[in-house]
Amino acid sequence: QVQLVESGGGLVQPGGSLRLSCAASGIIFRITNMGWYRQAPGKQRELVATITSGHNTNYADSVKGRFTISRDNAKNMVYLQMNSLIPEDSAVYYCNGEVQATYYPVSYTEYWGQGTQVTVSS
């Protein structure tokens, strides 16, 4: 079993910055893909950014140039640096990871964190 725990959310003014962290723990051989998703009230959960084990990244158009996703494979952590925040960024942000628990047998399980609230308001 694997647990993902997010931290770093909070209230920030427009134009401000926030850094989210997600720590994965449990039985982990490797984590392939990791990502951040967000869900605002009344809206569907949407992809914010993803990063592969090889550090290839992908971003939603709405956050390109403002957000940066990164990871530390040795620590099984993923981060999201959020700059130039706008009210539309307000949402619950969820950490996601695709985990291979053991070398053999090979299987992959997707895990989600509990979420951390980000509120951008003046």
Side-chain angles (χ1 to χ4, degrees):
Q1 203 70 20
V2 172
Q3 296 81 44
L4 303 181
V5 180
E6 303 98 333
S7 62
L11 175 64
V12 64
Q13 293 185 341
S17 297
L18 213 56
R19 180 178 169 87
L20 305 183
S21 299
C22 174
S25 61
I27 302 174
I28 301 171
F29 174 69
R30 67 190 293 262
I31 305 178
T32 54
N33 304 310
M34 303 188 79
W36 289 95
Y37 297 75
R38 67 187 182 187
Q39 186 169 24
K43 293 188 176 181
Q44 297 291 318
R45 183 182 63 190
E46 65 174 346
L47 183 148
V48 176
T50 60
I51 184 168
T52 69
S53 58
H55 301 277
N56 293 314
T57 59
N58 183 56
Y59 298 92
D61 289 339
S62 59
V63 306
K64 286 182 179 178
R66 300 189 298 118
F67 291 10
T68 302
I69 188 172
S70 61
R71 66 187 289 172
D72 186 332
N73 292 338
K75 296 181 179 180
N76 289 324
M77 296 191 69
V78 63
Y79 309 91
L80 185 68
Q81 179 66 47
M82 305 184 294
N83 299 324
S84 301
L85 286 162
I86 59 177
E88 289 74 19
D89 294 321
S90 297
V92 177
Y93 283 70
Y94 297 92
C95 176
N96 169 268
E98 184 182 50
V99 177
Q100 180 182 346
T102 60
Y103 175 75
Y104 185 84
V106 177
S107 64
Y108 301 92
T109 304
E110 190 176 38
Y111 292 93
W112 293 89
Q114 82 288 349
T116 185
Q117 178 71 51
V118 172
T119 302
V120 184
S121 176
S122 59

